[in-house]
Structure formats: C-alpha cells, structure tokens
Amino acid sequence: MTPDAMKPMMASCMIAILYSLPNAHAVSLDECIGATLRRNPDIRAATERVQAATAAIKEAQSACYPMLGGSATYARTDNAPQAFMMMLNQRSVSMQSDFNHPPDTENLALSLGVKYRVYDFGRRGLDNEMAQGGAELSRLVLRGLQNDLIHQVTRGYYSVLQASAFVAVQEESVKTLEESLRVANERLKAGGAVKTDVLNLDVQLAQAKENLIRARNGVKLSLAALNAAIGANLVDSSNMPAKAEPPGTRPPETEDMNVIQNRPELRVARQAVEIQNAAFRKARRQYWPTVNAFGSMDWNSDVSTDFERSYIIGVAAEVDFFDGFRRGAAVSGAKAQERAAKDAAESAASNLRLDLTSASIQAGEAWERLDVARKSIANAEEALRITQQRYEQGAADLPELLTAQTGLTGTRTRHVAALYDGLIALSNLERARGQLVGRYAKDE
C-alpha cells in the first residue's frame, strides 16, 4: 500500500482514538460556582440593584450643592402693565409715553439663577444616611442571594453525581441478575432448578431494568436543574467527574450561635432598622423651617437695542404652620415602621438560629448514615458472593439468592445516598453559618 493510500486510513484511526479517549477536563464544583456568580440572571439583577442604590447616594448628596439654572424668554404684547414692566426692565420708560395705550412692545429676557439651601435642621444629612443605608442593604441582599445560590449549585452538582452513581448501582444490579439468570438456565437444563426460578429472575431483571431507566432519566433532570441554577448550559454527562470524595471530618455536634452574625440576612434586617430610624428622625424634623439663599442675574432687551442688566439676591426662611396633620401622620407612620423593622430583625435572628441548628443536625445525621452504610457494604457483598456459590451448587434456593441481591443493591443505594447527602448537608451547614459567600464571592 502506498503512503498516499494510507493517509485516509491513518486519519480515520486518529479520529477513532480521539473519540475513544475520556474527557480531558471534568468541570469542577468551583468552576460551576464561578460561572453561576457571573451568569445567573438573579445575581445580575441584584448587582444592578446595588448599582442603582449607589447612584441614589449621589442623588441624595446633590442636595448639598447649589442649584444653577438659566432661562431665555421672548415676548411681545400691548398689555399696558406688562408693556410698562418690559420697558422698565429695559430702562427705556419715558414719562411722555401714553401708558394707557402703549405700542406693541417686545422683550428678550435672559436670566441666570442660583439657589442654595443654607440650613434644614439635618434633613439632607438624613437623606444621605438613608441612601447610604439603602446601598448597604442592597449589597447585603446580593450577598445573601449569593450565599443561597452557591449552596443550590453545590446541591445540584452533587445531585448529578448522586444520580450518576445510582445509575452505576442499577447497572451493577442488572449485571448481577443477568448472571444469576444465566446460572438458573444452566441449572434448569441440568435438571437442578425449576422453571419458576427462571421466571422469577426474569421478573426481577425486568424490574431492575426499569429502575435503571428511571435512574438515567434522573441524571438528565439533575443536569437540567444544575444548568438552570448556573444560568448557562455548562455541564453535561460527558464533562462531569466520575465521583466525589467523601467528607473528611465529622461536623461538630453543637454550633456556636454567634456565627449567625455573619449571615447577610441578619445584617439586612438590622440595616433596615437603621434606615427606618433615620426616616423617623427625618419625619420629626419636618416641623422645623428651612433657610434658602437665592439670586439671579437678568438681561432684558427690546431685541433692537443692547441688553440692560439687573440682579437680585436674598435669603428666605419657610415653615408650614398647618398642613392638615400630614407631618404628624408621617411621624406616627415612621415610628411604626421602625418598630416593625426591629420585630422583623428579632424574628430573622430566631429563624437563622433554627436554620443553623437544623443544618447541624442534618449534617450529623448524614455522617452517621454514611458511616453505617460504609461498614455494611462489605458484608452485603460477601453475603451475595457466598449465596451465589451456594445457589450454583444447589445448596441455596432462589428466594435466598434474591434476598442477597436485593440487600446488596439496597446497601449500595443507601451508601450513595448517604455519601452525597452528607456532602450536600455540609454545604448547607456552611450556608447556615454564612460562610459560603465569603469563600467564593468577593465582598465589593
């Protein structure tokens, strides 16, 4: 065969080898979490709300600066008072004019004005304080969302591995039942077994294949849920690792309740109390006057002559003596909102303590289940091996064999469930402590 003729064959062989190689890169949990923090639409929306709250700070601070504005107006009239004022501003009034019947008068007025609030008994400062508090609250809401979402992704990631492990258990169960069915058929041909043994094994094998189908569909659903949490189709069955390492250490039996101080949810509730307190103080200061300085520079012309300039400056103090009880209602409402925020903060602290206790109990339970399942697997495998040998030799009947096979499948299933439930429970415990967000998301 010539070298040219061998090239297509070599290319086909290389393609076959490449497709037969395992996936070189399995998507890690950290990669899934990083992609979630960048792509999840809820995270992006919460980030934009933080930006909006930050912009509100600048809006509140703008009240501390003077306001500068300008205007230009052109008017034409034969109305006596207005015409007189136009000519007066233009410095063109003549005592010989007929003020009752003025001619058509036109005026081009240019004005440049400035206003500045000199003093308002701290209301602007409280507006700024509330805006600052609102920005901090939005940031803490984002942190809380990140903390919960990181756990959701972790749970989804381990759920995919758990579902894949269930598939492996069911595949092993199918292989074991197929082998038992083969032995039963051989014994039936040799006269050492009855037809009902073969039929019963056929039924058990069909049931195991149905369980395998459900397990494979469970993998697809778990992958879809994980990608939905990430916000992108990042993972599939080909780029997930084969398994996860079991947890290394047992979680503590008791928790320090002070760790809930790290929870963004509690800090959100307390921040809301501070905001409502500032709103209450601002409502009370509505009874006090405001002092404003103002000034303007004006230019007036009848368009055909030069502009005449004038100015005005002054200070004004304003206070409402009666406003239909609006301010009193505002004070009462703000005080009620402050009390409600304090009660909500107490409720949040109580719920978070319960959440931490529940997560700690679940983590300890998962660890104990894993320890029990780990010890029972070896016993179940040995029991099945012995029972299979005895069945092949005719010393054991079919119910005994099926009991051993069912026991091993159930033990393996419980071990897989305990392993990944334990990993998920440890993630949930870190979430309840408020530690996940600190590990994966920067506090900006």
Side-chain angles (χ1 to χ4, degrees):
M1 183 178 295
T2 64
D4 291 340
M6 292 178 63
K7 288 181 180 179
M9 184 180 297
M10 293 175 63
S12 300
C13 291
M14 289 299 294
I15 293 174
I17 292 173
L18 288 174
Y19 275 98
S20 65
L21 289 175
N23 193 353
H25 174 70
V27 177
S28 68
L29 175 59
D30 288 352
E31 289 175 320
C32 290
I33 292 173
T36 301
L37 296 178
R38 294 190 304 270
R39 302 182 183 183
N40 184 273
D42 293 332
I43 294 292
R44 294 202 306 268
T47 302
E48 294 300 328
R49 284 192 286 271
V50 172
Q51 297 297 324
T54 303
I57 296 176
K58 297 181 178 179
E59 183 178 354
Q61 291 173 342
S62 66
C64 298
Y65 294 92
M67 302 293 292
L68 182 66
S71 65
T73 305
Y74 172 78
R76 183 182 179 91
T77 184
D78 63 354
N79 180 272
Q82 293 180 357
F84 177 76
M85 295 304 300
M86 286 181 180
M87 291 185 288
L88 194 62
N89 285 329
Q90 297 168 8
R91 308 290 198 272
S92 61
V93 176
S94 173
M95 300 306 296
Q96 286 76 35
S97 301
D98 185 358
F99 296 118
N100 293 321
H101 302 89
D104 289 349
T105 304
E106 59 182 356
N107 184 66
L108 176 62
L110 306 178
S111 180
L112 182 63
V114 61
K115 294 183 294 184
Y116 179 65
R117 177 159 293 184
V118 179
Y119 194 67
D120 61 0
F121 289 88
R123 273 172 275 182
R124 286 174 297 178
L126 291 171
D127 283 336
N128 184 52
E129 182 179 335
M130 287 189 290
Q132 295 275 2
E136 177 66 9
L137 189 145
S138 297
R139 187 188 67 81
L140 291 173
V141 168
L142 172 61
R143 299 286 287 176
L145 177 61
Q146 290 172 331
N147 192 55
D148 286 339
L149 197 55
I150 289 169
H151 170 62
Q152 291 180 26
V153 172
T154 302
R155 180 175 59 190
Y157 187 86
Y158 287 137
S159 294
V160 172
L161 296 182
Q162 185 182 60
S164 300
F166 284 151
V167 169
V169 169
Q170 294 301 325
E171 288 176 343
E172 187 65 27
S173 176
V174 168
K175 290 179 182 178
T176 302
L177 286 169
E178 287 176 343
E179 176 61 21
S180 297
L181 181 60
R182 183 190 66 79
V183 172
N185 279 317
E186 290 181 356
R187 289 188 59 197
L188 179 63
K189 292 177 182 178
V194 295
K195 183 66 174 177
T196 55
D197 286 358
V198 176
L199 295 176
N200 285 329
L201 282 170
D202 263 330
V203 172
Q204 292 295 322
L205 180 59
Q207 180 64 46
K209 288 181 178 179
E210 288 182 9
N211 293 337
L212 178 59
I213 292 172
R214 284 195 291 268
R216 286 172 175 166
N217 288 333
V219 174
K220 296 178 182 178
L221 291 174
S222 299
L223 285 169
L226 178 56
N227 283 322
I230 294 173
N233 291 325
L234 179 66
V235 297
D236 55 47
S237 57
S238 66
N239 62 7
M240 290 291 289
K243 62 180 181 178
E245 295 297 325
T249 58
R250 181 190 180 109
E253 294 185 1
T254 58
E255 290 290 334
D256 180 10
M257 290 294 111
N258 287 326
V259 299
I260 66 169
Q261 307 300 326
N262 297 325
R263 289 289 296 270
E265 294 88 341
L266 182 58
R267 296 170 64 188
V268 164
R270 290 176 174 171
Q271 187 65 45
V273 173
E274 295 182 10
I275 293 173
Q276 292 302 327
N277 178 262
F280 170 64
R281 286 181 286 149
K282 179 186 175 183
R284 293 179 61 184
R285 297 184 188 186
Q286 295 293 327
Y287 287 99
W288 296 94
T290 58
V291 180
N292 299 305
F294 60 91
S296 69
M297 184 71 72
D298 302 287
W299 293 267
N300 289 269
S301 170
D302 65 353
V303 182
S304 61
T305 61
D306 295 333
F307 283 96
E308 292 294 334
R309 187 178 64 183
S310 61
Y311 75 90
I312 183 174
I313 58 174
V315 178
E318 298 178 2
V319 62
D320 293 329
F321 292 107
F322 181 74
D323 59 1
F325 308 105
R326 178 190 62 82
R327 288 171 294 182
V331 171
S332 298
K335 188 60 179 177
Q337 291 288 352
E338 183 185 17
R339 292 194 299 267
K342 289 180 179 178
D343 292 338
E346 291 181 9
S347 176
S350 178
N351 291 333
L352 292 177
R353 283 191 290 268
L354 176 60
D355 184 29
L356 178 59
T357 301
S358 176
S360 179
I361 293 173
Q362 291 173 2
E365 176 188 333
W367 176 270
E368 293 175 358
R369 287 172 49 208
L370 179 60
D371 191 43
V372 171
R374 188 188 296 115
K375 293 176 181 177
S376 61
I377 277 187
N379 295 335
E381 289 176 345
E382 181 64 14
L384 178 60
R385 186 188 66 80
I386 294 173
T387 305
Q388 285 176 329
Q389 290 179 351
R390 293 180 63 237
Y391 181 75
E392 291 176 4
Q393 297 167 2
D397 56 11
L398 181 62
E400 187 178 352
L401 177 62
L402 291 177
T403 299
Q405 290 175 336
T406 303
L408 178 58
T409 300
T411 301
R412 285 173 173 169
T413 301
R414 288 193 299 274
H415 178 264
V416 169
L419 170 61
Y420 291 103
D421 286 351
L423 292 171
I424 293 172
L426 288 177
S427 172
N428 186 47
L429 182 57
E430 289 188 90
R431 176 203 61 80
R433 293 172 180 164
Q435 296 173 343
L436 285 177
V437 65
R439 181 192 305 174
Y440 291 102
K442 293 186 296 182
D443 188 3
E444 296 179 354

